[in-house]
Amino acid sequence: MLAWLASHLALIMFLSMFVFIFMGYPVAFIMGGLALIFALLGSWLGTFNLIGMSDIVLRMWGGVANDPVLASIPMFIFMGAILERSGSAKAMLDATEVLLKWCPGALAVSVMVMGTILAAPIGVVGAAVITLSVIALPQMLAAGYDKRLAIGTIASAGTLGILIPPAIMLVVMAEMLATSAGNLFLAAIMPGFLLSGLYLLYILAVAIFKKGATPKLPPGYGPQTRSAFWWTLWKGLFPMTALLVIVLGSIFAGWATPTESGAVGVLGSMFIAALNGRLKLKVMTEAIYSSCRANGLVFMVFLGATGFSYVFRVLGGDELMLSTLAYFGIDTKWEMLTFIMVLVFLLGFPFEWIEICLIVLPVFGPILAKFDFSDHIGNNAALMTWFGALVAVNLQTAFMTPPFGATLFYMKGTVPPGVTMTDVFKAMYPFVALQVVGLILCIWLPDITLWLPRLAGFLP
């Protein structure tokens, strides 16, 4: 009995996470608590050395507290808080909604368009999701939108940050696949816009066929004269457009890294608040308070997830995933590709993107390179670029897949108290399904990913 328990600890730990999450306990404490409990249980059964607990502390420091990517999140949270309280971000959303008020579900469509634009300058999923959530979620809920549609719209729009360059994940993937980061940047642009288009189609379908989910705008909504219309657009779009140009321009001009652009964004948001006459002590105090609270919630989850992930892997969690899929066998190139895509999707449940890349890319990249896909993609020299883009799209799915996708925790840290983790989970399902459709299209039609790199002359 004890031998069976020792060999199945990883499976029991994984299933326990599901049970406690759906019982409604705080996610950070569930993962941190399970890490401690199963570490002690593994030590008793001889499958875990307690000295490894010191590694968890090092991983928390090196992988969370000292991570330059995660270090940008507080700045972007602060930027979003300032923009929300200064009224600038809301003005941009209102102006976009005025332009699109003829659309069914105009507010949700505006949020998706705004999120797609924000994905490029922000470039970090957590920052994009949190910024959009702070800016748009209260307005969508106040307007009477279905809370799951609102959460799913914001989460999916924010998660586009891993696909639309500059995205730090793409740089890491390019290094692991020994391919050009520029190629991978270009290859990821069209899939990013494809997914954005699929999300918009879904939002429009919900607005048309489920009337109560997206309340219509009143007939007198927005400016009624031409001069008022143009003033609304100028006031709403120009300051935020200028901020996006500053943040994005600081990256491409070489003045700031994507991480440092968060600080540039804070400075720009403060300048916009000053122009609007809203840079006051009360506004800044409220922005700092809400930023600290959101940061505490987000990073507590990260720390718990770090402990859970480490103990799960030491107990054989990654071998459990690999052996489960390897049982089905691999004979052809399409079976290998399918195997890898399913593996990445399943690993998205317990792991972060960096761990998935470390598990999958170094192991399966060279194996896949031995297969000839030239009859499908035109030239095998483009294989690693195409494969990297597919993994990036799949990893976006992993970001949103319940119960362990990182986007879920970003959202939970910013949603109002009345929104439960179960609501967040259920909000993701239709958008995850659309991501799977987008992934299938990128596999079936490789020109979606390879057209831009070939147009730029980087690929034959």
Side-chain angles (χ1 to χ4, degrees):
M1 178 65 182
L2 290 180
W4 181 91
L5 183 62
S7 62
H8 291 81
L9 272 183
L11 178 61
I12 297 170
M13 183 180 185
F14 187 63
L15 295 177
S16 298
M17 177 184 64
F18 281 94
V19 172
F20 285 109
I21 283 178
F22 284 102
M23 288 175 66
Y25 290 103
V27 177
F29 299 137
I30 290 173
M31 292 185 292
L34 286 176
L36 179 60
I37 291 171
F38 278 84
L40 294 173
L41 188 57
S43 175
W44 179 59
L45 294 172
T47 59
F48 186 90
N49 192 336
L50 285 180
I51 194 66
M53 296 296 285
S54 61
D55 291 336
I56 296 179
V57 178
L58 295 175
R59 285 167 62 92
M60 287 180 176
W61 170 252
V64 179
N66 198 37
D67 189 327
V69 177
L70 297 182
S72 69
I73 292 177
M75 283 296 180
F76 282 113
I77 293 176
F78 192 31
M79 181 183 74
I82 295 173
L83 291 174
E84 184 220 352
R85 281 160 178 77
S86 68
S88 301
K90 185 178 183 301
M92 180 183 183
L93 192 60
D94 290 342
T96 308
E97 192 175 5
V98 166
L99 280 176
L100 300 172
K101 67 178 181 179
W102 53 271
C103 276
L107 182 54
V109 172
S110 301
V111 169
M112 182 59 65
V113 171
M114 185 176 172
T116 305
I117 296 171
L118 284 175
I122 293 180
V124 178
V125 170
V129 171
I130 291 168
T131 301
L132 277 177
S133 182
V134 170
I135 293 171
L137 186 58
Q139 185 173 347
M140 294 184 76
L141 295 179
Y145 271 65
D146 179 84
K147 60 182 176 181
R148 293 175 184 171
L149 177 65
I151 293 169
T153 299
I154 291 171
S156 58
T159 311
L160 288 171
I162 70 169
L163 280 178
I164 300 177
I168 297 172
M169 187 188 76
L170 296 176
V171 178
V172 175
M173 290 179 59
E175 182 178 350
M176 293 181 179
L177 291 172
T179 189
S180 165
N183 283 356
L184 207 50
F185 274 7
L186 289 174
I189 290 175
M190 292 304 293
F193 288 123
L194 170 66
L195 290 179
S196 179
L198 291 174
Y199 301 151
L200 286 171
L201 289 176
Y202 171 73
I203 292 169
L204 290 173
V206 172
I208 293 171
F209 297 107
K210 191 178 178 182
K211 303 293 184 183
T214 58
K216 291 183 178 180
L217 296 175
Y221 180 85
Q224 302 301 306
T225 65
R226 180 171 296 182
S227 59
F229 172 81
W230 287 110
W231 171 247
T232 300
L233 295 187
W234 173 263
K235 182 181 178 181
L237 295 180
F238 177 74
M240 286 295 294
T241 303
L243 177 62
L244 296 182
V245 170
I246 291 172
V247 173
L248 191 59
S250 66
I251 298 172
F252 288 114
W255 300 338
T257 65
T259 301
E260 293 165 345
S261 68
V264 176
V266 170
L267 180 62
S269 64
M270 293 175 67
F271 181 70
I272 292 173
L275 289 178
N276 292 338
R278 299 293 303 276
L279 190 64
K280 300 178 180 178
L281 180 61
K282 181 180 179 181
V283 171
M284 294 302 295
T285 302
E286 292 175 351
I288 292 171
Y289 175 79
S290 64
S291 299
C292 291
R293 185 176 181 275
N295 275 304
L297 290 171
V298 169
F299 278 90
M300 273 297 293
V301 174
F302 268 115
L303 296 178
T306 300
F308 181 94
S309 179
Y310 177 80
V311 175
F312 183 73
R313 292 189 67 183
V314 171
L315 293 177
D318 48 356
E319 289 86 355
L320 173 68
M321 294 287 185
L322 290 170
S323 61
T324 300
L325 289 177
Y327 173 78
F328 297 100
I330 304 170
D331 294 318
T332 68
K333 61 185 180 183
W334 291 111
E335 288 178 349
M336 168 59 76
L337 184 62
T338 302
F339 175 87
I340 297 173
M341 292 297 106
V342 173
L343 177 63
V344 170
F345 182 81
L346 292 181
L347 288 178
F349 284 80
F351 296 126
E352 294 291 335
W353 67 266
I354 185 63
E355 294 174 327
I356 296 173
C357 289
L358 290 172
I359 292 171
V360 174
L361 299 186
V363 175
F364 292 103
I367 296 175
L368 191 70
K370 296 178 181 179
F371 291 93
D372 184 9
F373 282 86
S374 59
D375 59 333
H376 183 66
I377 62 176
N379 190 303
N380 226 47
L383 177 59
M384 286 298 102
T385 300
W386 178 57
F387 174 60
L390 296 182
V391 174
V393 175
N394 206 340
L395 281 173
Q396 174 160 345
T397 306
F399 264 100
M400 293 178 60
T401 304
F404 209 58
T407 299
L408 306 174
F409 307 133
Y410 297 131
M411 289 299 305
K412 183 55 181 173
T414 56
V415 295
V419 178
T420 66
M421 198 65 184
T422 301
D423 292 326
V424 176
F425 285 173
K426 291 182 178 180
M428 301 299 154
Y429 295 137
F431 291 92
V432 170
L434 291 173
Q435 289 174 343
V436 173
V437 171
L439 176 61
I440 293 172
L441 287 174
C442 290
I443 295 174
W444 182 34
L445 303 171
D447 281 343
I448 294 175
T449 59
L450 299 178
W451 177 66
L452 279 179
R454 284 173 173 161
L455 183 66
F458 294 152
L459 290 175

